[in-house]
Amino acid sequence: MSVLQTWLVQALFIFLITGSIGVLLDPCGRINPESPVVQLGSNFTAVCVLKERCMDYFHVNANFIVWKMGHFTIPKEQYTIINRTAASVTLTDVTSLNIQLTCNILTFGQIEQNVYGITLISGLPPEKPKNLNCIVNEGKKMMCYWDPGRETYLETNFTLKSEWATEKFADCKTKRDTPTSCTVDYSPVYFVNMEVWVEAANALGKVTSDHINFDPVDKVKPNTPRNLSVSNSEELSSILKLTWINSNIKNVIRLKYDIQYRTKGASTWSQIPPEDTASTRSSFTVQDLKPFTEYVFRIRCMKEDGKGFWSDWSEEASGITYEDRPSNTPSFWYKIDPSHSHGHRSVQLMWKTLPPFEANGKILGYEVTLTRWKSRLQNYTVNDTKLTVNLTNDRYIVTLTARNAVGRSDASVLTIPACDFQGYLAESKCYLITVTPVYADGPGSPVSIKAYLKQAPPSKGPTVRTKKVGKNEAVLEWDQLPVDVQNGFIRNYTIFYRTNIGNETAVNVDSSHTEYTLSSLTSDTLYMVRMAAYTDEGGKDGPEFTFTTPKFAQGEIEAIVVPVCLAFLLTTLLGVLFCFNKRDLIKKHIWPNVPDPSKSHIAQWSPHTPPRHNFNPKDQMYSDGNFTDVSVVEIEANDKKSFPEDLKSLELFKKEKVSTEGHSSGIGGSSCMSSSRPSISSSDENESAQNTSSTVQYSTVVHSGYRHQVPSVQVFSRSESTQPLLDSEERPEDLQLVDNVDGGDGILPRQQYFKQNCSQQETSPDISHFERSNQVSSVNEEDFVRLKQQISGIPQSCGSGQMKMFQEVSAADAFGPDTEGQGERFKTAGMEAVLDEGMPKSYLPQTVRQGGYMPQ
Amino acid sequence: MPTQTTGRTLLSLVLGLLFASMAAMGSCPGDFHVLLGQLQKQAHAMQDPSSLLDPYMRIQGLDFPQLREHCTERPGTFPSEGALRGLGRRSFLRTLDATLGLVLRRLAAVQQQLPEAGRLGRPPAARLRAQDLEMLKMARLNIHGLRNNIFCMSRLLGSSWDAAEPTQAAPGTSPPPTPDPGAFQRKLEGCRFLRGYHRVLSSAGQVFGKWGKSPSQGHRHRPPRALPEDASRARPSRRGRRLVPRGQLPR
């Protein structure tokens, strides 16, 4: 029972204690916010809310609230009474990282009692991580690192995120001690692009870095090449061969290397040119090394294209190049013991050991050879660097070579003069005096100088000659005097030159020159020049040299002649062109057409001259009174197919006749084949009449080609002669035809002529009318009708035979589409033959008609 | 109101898919030749038996010369090189992806039967086996990487491809050669399977090599679209069926 009472008392006590502590621990108010984190430099406002119970107990309200930062009371100006229970305080520009802010009340008006307190933490939001990069150490997992930016003063977490296009990898969270790097927990997969970025977050915010996208193989840092070894070559003393073992990454990527070397003991490294080690390999031969020298090497590698990282340097490895023969001769001298016995002397030869870079190996010994003038050799092999020999008083030549395992050096030669040697120096002789200093460690650089015991004038003067001679100048040149004739130091030269009649001029020239230009010379003049060389003791003239300056400078003649020739040619050309252009005018004035009165006759003008047809602008060009000056024949093929037929008819014609070339009219000349411009002779009727008064024009027909060539087309040409032609003279073959065929009126040949030219649109004036008829010109047919009318009543019996002939020829001509028209034309031609019967046969005066000439 | 909601849902779904697609392409190389080079190098590296078959044989206790002779590819398990060459590019990619999916499943099954690296017995042998297990794990990761690049190439060629569901092959659909094989036979069959896997990767490397030489049809990044060429090829023709690995449903 007592136990129970004790237990109850204890329980009551505990309950009362607990209740009183609860009351005591229950704060009189609270501050909002309770765990604030604010950005440095910003404002912060906290609110303290009092509890009613405390307010009643302590007889206070919000006006009694006092805010404190640590032990410092915040000024009342920063307070704001919100209501009876709450008051706030505003902190401006928070700069402290950690602030203890308390809300207090003045109990009973004067006793300050703490109500609540908070810790205000301030800092900065994280900056965007920069310079994110990753490295894949071969065989290890990928590590990425970045620059976290400014200090935030807050706990900031960095998370590395990575993903493929199809997979997202687990986040990599940084450890507290390494917030700027993170190693992912998966092995990198080469040749698969991945995207990586970093997320930084703290209480004030979260920010993400730029994403980087890469293939992990481009971030590889290979393992160091291992087992680097160096070996030399007996064949070549300047090379060392390096071999090493590549890391396994070589199975995945191609590598390039960086090989460095230095001589042992040196501090600076030399580098093998990168282009020589730009591909995967496991050995390399280094060249251009010094023989018998120890070199230290190291190597590293990386991906061939330079993406990724260099591996660490390998362990250093060293090797010695093989020996080579000594590259230099030992420094060599002698010392003669002054206490020599009669006839002999003791000479000590001494030399220095070669430095390693010249010895090129271990020197095994020295070979000394002594040669007396015209005597035998004495050879010595010495391991030491000195040798004492007993020599006669003669002059000796001593050679010394150093020898190593590979070979021996070049010989170093020394002359030991004869014992009785006394110096004799001649005057006027040039001596080269050389002084070689001998230091403790060998000879120094020798210095030489030329000297004369006594100078004298040169024994011979320089020989001068011309190098180039111009109109007013000449370039002289000469050779330096040989040292044997100088007899002293040549101080200067003097050049003397003169003309035949002039005074001599002297020019001084420095002794270093071998060339001089004489200027202001007179052209086309003979000059005499000589030269003297001077030493300190005098001078000596050389032989005289003559030269003549030319009258004209080089190119001067060409400068005159060429423009003159060009001007002449130009003038000639212009003259020819002018004559060519004005040839008609010239012809008119120089060779005017003079009619022959003795052969003139009265022309009969046709009252039925039809108006001009087929008038073309070209005709108008010749509408002035000078038409006689122009002869135009226009030939136009109606139907090209008919040419062969034409040629047949021509051939028929040619068989019996010689070329009409030979029958062209004498004075004016037949323009047989002379005109390359076939055209129709055209002129106004009036013009024709006018022209006829002064000139009578003729035409002829060319049946054969030039020089027995068959013309492709028949050519009608028109004589420009002012002489009336005899018909027989014009066409003797026609006369023959007349005799042979018909014995008639002699018209037939002309008709034949017309006939054969039926394929031509228009021809010479005397047949123009008919030729027009041959063409498909209805207007021309009207002309024929008119003609018919004119000659009506004339019997046509004689034309019948000719008609037949025409028809035959016409059958061969295949060009005319209108056979009726042809028939009519044949008829007309026959009628014309009858018409011409009454005309004199010797010539055919014609008058000009429209587009041609009408037989009168 | 319900119509509006449905419209918004559809819009957000479309946009979501669009952005997801864009995000998925984010880490793919944009250049055809770069991607092709990666595929070639991957195929070249993974055709090496030391990357998967050798560790598998060591793990399974098959690493004996006599057994190696018997470990030959079972014909018909994987498409031949000639058949792969005859495929269009997208069909080829799809076939290769399906093949790799099949290999992944087989490897997962094998790994499930193997002990953890930490329980491998005594140190020297345990270390070797741990290395082999690590290689097996790495091989799986490499296959995932290759499938990732296949996906990227497929996208680059303009083919629609569901990355989340790269293959339609049901797990374990490759039928065992015998109805109830013994454990040894199963190991040997796995060996033959992996032999075929290395061979098919070698063939794939050859095909990719041809891609580099022939005028490319996918030099430019084209938006995904249905292609008539592959539409016809993708049809479940007999030829198409034959080319798909065993157990693979033609797509």
Short mmCIF file of all heavy atoms in Angstrom, two decimals, chain A residues 141 163-167 169 186-195 213 215 251-252, chain B residues 23-24 26-29 38 41-42 134 138 141-142 144-146 148-149 151-152 163:
data_model
loop_
_atom_site.label_atom_id
_atom_site.label_comp_id
_atom_site.label_asym_id
_atom_site.label_seq_id
_atom_site.Cartn_x
_atom_site.Cartn_y
_atom_site.Cartn_z
N LYS A 141 36.25 5.70 -65.23
CA LYS A 141 34.97 6.29 -65.56
C LYS A 141 35.12 7.78 -65.84
O LYS A 141 36.11 8.39 -65.43
CB LYS A 141 33.98 6.02 -64.44
CG LYS A 141 33.65 4.53 -64.41
CD LYS A 141 32.84 4.11 -63.23
CE LYS A 141 32.57 2.61 -63.34
NZ LYS A 141 31.94 2.07 -62.16
N GLU A 163 22.94 12.10 -70.60
CA GLU A 163 21.98 11.25 -71.29
C GLU A 163 22.42 10.99 -72.72
O GLU A 163 23.23 11.72 -73.30
CB GLU A 163 20.60 11.90 -71.30
CG GLU A 163 20.54 13.18 -72.14
CD GLU A 163 19.15 13.80 -72.14
OE1 GLU A 163 18.39 13.52 -71.21
OE2 GLU A 163 18.86 14.57 -73.07
N TRP A 164 21.94 9.90 -73.29
CA TRP A 164 22.02 9.63 -74.71
C TRP A 164 20.70 10.08 -75.33
O TRP A 164 19.80 10.55 -74.63
CB TRP A 164 22.17 8.13 -74.96
CG TRP A 164 23.54 7.58 -74.72
CD1 TRP A 164 24.71 8.26 -74.61
CD2 TRP A 164 23.87 6.19 -74.55
NE1 TRP A 164 25.74 7.40 -74.39
CE2 TRP A 164 25.26 6.12 -74.36
CE3 TRP A 164 23.12 5.01 -74.57
CZ2 TRP A 164 25.92 4.90 -74.18
CZ3 TRP A 164 23.78 3.80 -74.38
CH2 TRP A 164 25.17 3.75 -74.20
N ALA A 165 20.63 9.85 -76.59
CA ALA A 165 19.36 10.14 -77.25
C ALA A 165 18.28 9.18 -76.76
O ALA A 165 17.10 9.51 -76.72
CB ALA A 165 19.51 10.03 -78.76
N THR A 166 18.70 8.00 -76.39
CA THR A 166 17.71 6.99 -76.01
C THR A 166 17.79 6.60 -74.54
O THR A 166 16.96 5.82 -74.09
CB THR A 166 17.93 5.72 -76.85
OG1 THR A 166 19.28 5.29 -76.69
CG2 THR A 166 17.65 5.98 -78.32
N GLU A 167 18.77 7.06 -73.84
CA GLU A 167 18.92 6.65 -72.44
C GLU A 167 19.22 7.87 -71.59
O GLU A 167 19.86 8.82 -72.06
CB GLU A 167 20.10 5.67 -72.31
CG GLU A 167 20.02 4.46 -73.19
CD GLU A 167 19.48 3.26 -72.43
OE1 GLU A 167 19.32 3.38 -71.20
OE2 GLU A 167 19.22 2.23 -73.07
N PHE A 169 21.03 8.71 -67.99
CA PHE A 169 21.87 8.09 -66.97
C PHE A 169 21.56 8.69 -65.60
O PHE A 169 20.98 9.77 -65.49
CB PHE A 169 23.35 8.30 -67.31
CG PHE A 169 23.75 7.63 -68.59
CD1 PHE A 169 23.94 8.37 -69.76
CD2 PHE A 169 23.93 6.26 -68.65
CE1 PHE A 169 24.30 7.76 -70.94
CE2 PHE A 169 24.29 5.63 -69.84
CZ PHE A 169 24.47 6.38 -70.98
N TYR A 186 29.20 5.08 -64.41
CA TYR A 186 29.09 4.13 -65.51
C TYR A 186 30.30 4.31 -66.42
O TYR A 186 30.89 5.39 -66.49
CB TYR A 186 27.80 4.34 -66.31
CG TYR A 186 27.62 5.75 -66.83
CD1 TYR A 186 28.15 6.14 -68.05
CD2 TYR A 186 26.94 6.70 -66.08
CE1 TYR A 186 27.99 7.43 -68.52
CE2 TYR A 186 26.80 8.00 -66.54
CZ TYR A 186 27.32 8.36 -67.74
OH TYR A 186 27.19 9.65 -68.19
N SER A 187 30.63 3.21 -67.07
CA SER A 187 31.77 3.27 -67.98
C SER A 187 31.37 4.02 -69.24
O SER A 187 30.25 3.86 -69.74
CB SER A 187 32.22 1.86 -68.35
OG SER A 187 32.66 1.19 -67.19
N PRO A 188 32.27 4.80 -69.76
CA PRO A 188 31.93 5.55 -70.98
C PRO A 188 31.83 4.61 -72.18
O PRO A 188 32.57 3.62 -72.27
CB PRO A 188 33.10 6.51 -71.14
CG PRO A 188 34.24 5.84 -70.45
CD PRO A 188 33.66 5.05 -69.33
N VAL A 189 30.92 4.91 -73.02
CA VAL A 189 30.75 4.14 -74.25
C VAL A 189 31.26 5.00 -75.39
O VAL A 189 30.71 6.08 -75.66
CB VAL A 189 29.28 3.74 -74.47
CG1 VAL A 189 29.13 2.98 -75.78
CG2 VAL A 189 28.79 2.91 -73.31
N TYR A 190 32.31 4.52 -76.02
CA TYR A 190 32.89 5.31 -77.11
C TYR A 190 32.00 5.28 -78.34
O TYR A 190 31.26 4.34 -78.57
CB TYR A 190 34.27 4.76 -77.47
CG TYR A 190 35.27 4.86 -76.33
CD1 TYR A 190 36.16 3.82 -76.08
CD2 TYR A 190 35.32 5.98 -75.51
CE1 TYR A 190 37.09 3.91 -75.06
CE2 TYR A 190 36.24 6.06 -74.47
CZ TYR A 190 37.12 5.03 -74.25
OH TYR A 190 38.01 5.11 -73.23
N PHE A 191 32.11 6.31 -79.11
CA PHE A 191 31.42 6.48 -80.40
C PHE A 191 29.91 6.63 -80.23
O PHE A 191 29.15 6.36 -81.14
CB PHE A 191 31.72 5.31 -81.34
CG PHE A 191 33.18 5.02 -81.48
CD1 PHE A 191 33.69 3.79 -81.14
CD2 PHE A 191 34.04 6.01 -81.91
CE1 PHE A 191 35.04 3.53 -81.25
CE2 PHE A 191 35.40 5.76 -82.02
CZ PHE A 191 35.90 4.52 -81.68
N VAL A 192 29.50 7.04 -79.05
CA VAL A 192 28.10 7.36 -78.85
C VAL A 192 28.05 8.76 -78.24
O VAL A 192 28.60 8.99 -77.16
CB VAL A 192 27.41 6.36 -77.91
CG1 VAL A 192 25.94 6.73 -77.74
CG2 VAL A 192 27.55 4.96 -78.43
N ASN A 193 27.43 9.67 -78.94
CA ASN A 193 27.35 11.03 -78.43
C ASN A 193 26.47 11.09 -77.19
O ASN A 193 25.43 10.43 -77.13
CB ASN A 193 26.78 11.95 -79.50
CG ASN A 193 27.86 12.47 -80.42
OD1 ASN A 193 28.79 11.74 -80.77
ND2 ASN A 193 27.75 13.73 -80.81
N MET A 194 26.89 11.86 -76.26
CA MET A 194 26.08 12.04 -75.06
C MET A 194 26.02 13.53 -74.73
O MET A 194 26.86 14.32 -75.15
CB MET A 194 26.65 11.25 -73.89
CG MET A 194 28.01 11.66 -73.43
SD MET A 194 28.67 10.52 -72.20
CE MET A 194 27.31 10.37 -71.08
N GLU A 195 24.99 13.85 -74.00
CA GLU A 195 24.77 15.23 -73.62
C GLU A 195 24.94 15.33 -72.11
O GLU A 195 24.38 14.52 -71.37
CB GLU A 195 23.38 15.67 -74.04
CG GLU A 195 23.20 17.17 -74.06
CD GLU A 195 22.03 17.55 -74.96
OE1 GLU A 195 22.05 17.19 -76.14
OE2 GLU A 195 21.09 18.18 -74.46
N ASN A 213 27.67 18.47 -75.78
CA ASN A 213 27.38 17.24 -76.50
C ASN A 213 28.68 16.72 -77.08
O ASN A 213 29.36 17.43 -77.82
CB ASN A 213 26.37 17.55 -77.62
CG ASN A 213 25.84 16.29 -78.27
OD1 ASN A 213 26.59 15.35 -78.54
ND2 ASN A 213 24.54 16.27 -78.53
N ASP A 215 31.29 13.03 -78.01
CA ASP A 215 31.56 11.60 -78.04
C ASP A 215 32.64 11.35 -76.98
O ASP A 215 33.71 11.97 -77.05
CB ASP A 215 32.07 11.22 -79.44
CG ASP A 215 32.33 9.73 -79.58
OD1 ASP A 215 32.41 9.04 -78.55
OD2 ASP A 215 32.47 9.27 -80.73
N ASN A 251 43.58 0.17 -79.78
CA ASN A 251 42.63 -0.67 -80.52
C ASN A 251 41.35 0.07 -80.86
O ASN A 251 40.56 -0.39 -81.69
CB ASN A 251 42.27 -1.91 -79.68
CG ASN A 251 43.50 -2.74 -79.39
OD1 ASN A 251 44.39 -2.86 -80.23
ND2 ASN A 251 43.57 -3.31 -78.19
N VAL A 252 41.16 1.18 -80.22
CA VAL A 252 39.92 1.93 -80.42
C VAL A 252 40.16 3.21 -81.21
O VAL A 252 39.38 3.56 -82.09
CB VAL A 252 39.29 2.27 -79.04
CG1 VAL A 252 37.99 3.04 -79.22
CG2 VAL A 252 39.07 1.01 -78.24
N ALA B 23 13.96 16.57 -77.79
CA ALA B 23 14.93 16.34 -76.74
C ALA B 23 15.70 15.05 -76.98
O ALA B 23 16.90 14.96 -76.74
CB ALA B 23 14.22 16.28 -75.39
N ALA B 24 14.99 14.08 -77.50
CA ALA B 24 15.64 12.81 -77.74
C ALA B 24 16.72 12.93 -78.79
O ALA B 24 17.73 12.27 -78.74
CB ALA B 24 14.61 11.78 -78.17
N GLY B 26 18.49 15.41 -79.14
CA GLY B 26 19.46 16.39 -78.69
C GLY B 26 20.88 15.92 -78.73
O GLY B 26 21.78 16.65 -79.12
N SER B 27 21.14 14.68 -78.35
CA SER B 27 22.53 14.23 -78.27
C SER B 27 22.94 13.43 -79.48
O SER B 27 24.02 12.85 -79.49
CB SER B 27 22.73 13.42 -77.01
OG SER B 27 21.82 12.35 -76.98
N CYS B 28 22.12 13.36 -80.47
CA CYS B 28 22.51 12.66 -81.70
C CYS B 28 23.39 13.58 -82.54
O CYS B 28 23.11 14.77 -82.64
CB CYS B 28 21.27 12.29 -82.53
SG CYS B 28 20.36 10.89 -81.88
N PRO B 29 24.40 13.02 -83.17
CA PRO B 29 25.17 13.85 -84.10
C PRO B 29 24.29 14.26 -85.27
O PRO B 29 23.50 13.46 -85.77
CB PRO B 29 26.29 12.92 -84.56
CG PRO B 29 26.32 11.80 -83.60
CD PRO B 29 24.93 11.66 -83.07
N GLN B 38 30.78 6.71 -86.57
CA GLN B 38 30.61 6.12 -85.24
C GLN B 38 30.05 4.71 -85.34
O GLN B 38 30.51 3.80 -84.64
CB GLN B 38 29.68 7.01 -84.41
CG GLN B 38 30.32 8.33 -83.98
CD GLN B 38 29.39 9.16 -83.13
OE1 GLN B 38 28.17 9.09 -83.27
NE2 GLN B 38 29.96 9.97 -82.25
N LYS B 41 32.75 2.34 -86.49
CA LYS B 41 33.74 2.04 -85.45
C LYS B 41 33.14 1.16 -84.37
O LYS B 41 33.81 0.27 -83.83
CB LYS B 41 34.25 3.35 -84.86
CG LYS B 41 35.19 4.09 -85.79
CD LYS B 41 35.46 5.48 -85.30
CE LYS B 41 36.26 6.26 -86.31
NZ LYS B 41 36.27 7.70 -86.04
N GLN B 42 31.90 1.42 -84.05
CA GLN B 42 31.25 0.56 -83.05
C GLN B 42 31.17 -0.88 -83.55
O GLN B 42 31.52 -1.83 -82.83
CB GLN B 42 29.84 1.07 -82.77
CG GLN B 42 29.81 2.24 -81.80
CD GLN B 42 28.38 2.68 -81.54
OE1 GLN B 42 27.64 3.00 -82.47
NE2 GLN B 42 28.00 2.70 -80.28
N GLU B 134 32.70 -7.90 -65.75
CA GLU B 134 32.71 -6.48 -66.09
C GLU B 134 32.67 -6.29 -67.60
O GLU B 134 32.01 -5.37 -68.12
CB GLU B 134 33.96 -5.83 -65.49
CG GLU B 134 33.98 -4.31 -65.54
CD GLU B 134 32.82 -3.66 -64.80
OE1 GLU B 134 32.35 -4.22 -63.78
OE2 GLU B 134 32.36 -2.61 -65.27
N MET B 138 30.01 -4.41 -69.79
CA MET B 138 30.41 -3.37 -70.75
C MET B 138 29.87 -3.68 -72.14
O MET B 138 29.48 -2.77 -72.89
CB MET B 138 31.94 -3.29 -70.78
CG MET B 138 32.48 -2.06 -71.45
SD MET B 138 31.98 -0.57 -70.60
CE MET B 138 31.74 0.53 -71.99
N LEU B 141 26.43 -2.53 -72.35
CA LEU B 141 26.36 -1.07 -72.49
C LEU B 141 26.72 -0.64 -73.91
O LEU B 141 26.10 0.26 -74.49
CB LEU B 141 27.33 -0.44 -71.48
CG LEU B 141 27.10 1.03 -71.13
CD1 LEU B 141 25.69 1.26 -70.65
CD2 LEU B 141 28.09 1.46 -70.06
N ASN B 142 27.70 -1.34 -74.47
CA ASN B 142 28.08 -1.01 -75.84
C ASN B 142 26.95 -1.32 -76.81
O ASN B 142 26.74 -0.59 -77.79
CB ASN B 142 29.33 -1.79 -76.24
CG ASN B 142 30.59 -1.19 -75.65
OD1 ASN B 142 30.67 0.02 -75.42
ND2 ASN B 142 31.57 -2.03 -75.33
N HIS B 144 23.84 -1.20 -76.11
CA HIS B 144 22.88 -0.10 -75.93
C HIS B 144 23.35 1.13 -76.70
O HIS B 144 22.53 1.84 -77.32
CB HIS B 144 22.75 0.24 -74.45
CG HIS B 144 21.82 -0.67 -73.71
ND1 HIS B 144 20.47 -0.69 -73.93
CD2 HIS B 144 22.05 -1.59 -72.74
CE1 HIS B 144 19.88 -1.60 -73.14
NE2 HIS B 144 20.83 -2.16 -72.40
N GLY B 145 24.63 1.36 -76.63
CA GLY B 145 25.17 2.52 -77.36
C GLY B 145 24.98 2.38 -78.85
O GLY B 145 24.63 3.34 -79.54
N LEU B 146 25.21 1.19 -79.36
CA LEU B 146 25.02 0.97 -80.79
C LEU B 146 23.56 1.16 -81.19
O LEU B 146 23.25 1.77 -82.22
CB LEU B 146 25.51 -0.44 -81.16
CG LEU B 146 25.39 -0.83 -82.63
CD1 LEU B 146 26.08 0.18 -83.53
CD2 LEU B 146 25.99 -2.22 -82.86
N ASN B 148 21.55 3.06 -79.71
CA ASN B 148 21.31 4.49 -79.65
C ASN B 148 21.69 5.15 -80.99
O ASN B 148 20.95 5.97 -81.54
CB ASN B 148 22.14 5.10 -78.52
CG ASN B 148 22.01 6.61 -78.45
OD1 ASN B 148 21.06 7.14 -77.89
ND2 ASN B 148 22.96 7.32 -79.03
N ASN B 149 22.84 4.75 -81.50
CA ASN B 149 23.28 5.35 -82.77
C ASN B 149 22.40 4.89 -83.93
O ASN B 149 22.19 5.63 -84.89
CB ASN B 149 24.73 4.99 -83.05
CG ASN B 149 25.68 5.90 -82.30
OD1 ASN B 149 25.25 6.86 -81.66
ND2 ASN B 149 26.96 5.60 -82.34
N PHE B 151 19.31 4.34 -83.66
CA PHE B 151 18.14 5.22 -83.52
C PHE B 151 18.43 6.59 -84.14
O PHE B 151 17.61 7.14 -84.89
CB PHE B 151 17.79 5.36 -82.04
CG PHE B 151 16.87 6.50 -81.74
CD1 PHE B 151 15.51 6.40 -81.97
CD2 PHE B 151 17.37 7.69 -81.22
CE1 PHE B 151 14.66 7.45 -81.69
CE2 PHE B 151 16.53 8.74 -80.95
CZ PHE B 151 15.16 8.62 -81.18
N CYS B 152 19.61 7.11 -83.81
CA CYS B 152 19.96 8.44 -84.34
C CYS B 152 20.02 8.41 -85.87
O CYS B 152 19.53 9.33 -86.54
CB CYS B 152 21.31 8.88 -83.79
SG CYS B 152 21.27 9.27 -82.04
N ALA B 163 11.75 5.30 -80.00
CA ALA B 163 12.95 4.98 -79.24
C ALA B 163 12.64 4.19 -77.99
O ALA B 163 13.43 3.38 -77.53
CB ALA B 163 13.67 6.27 -78.87
#
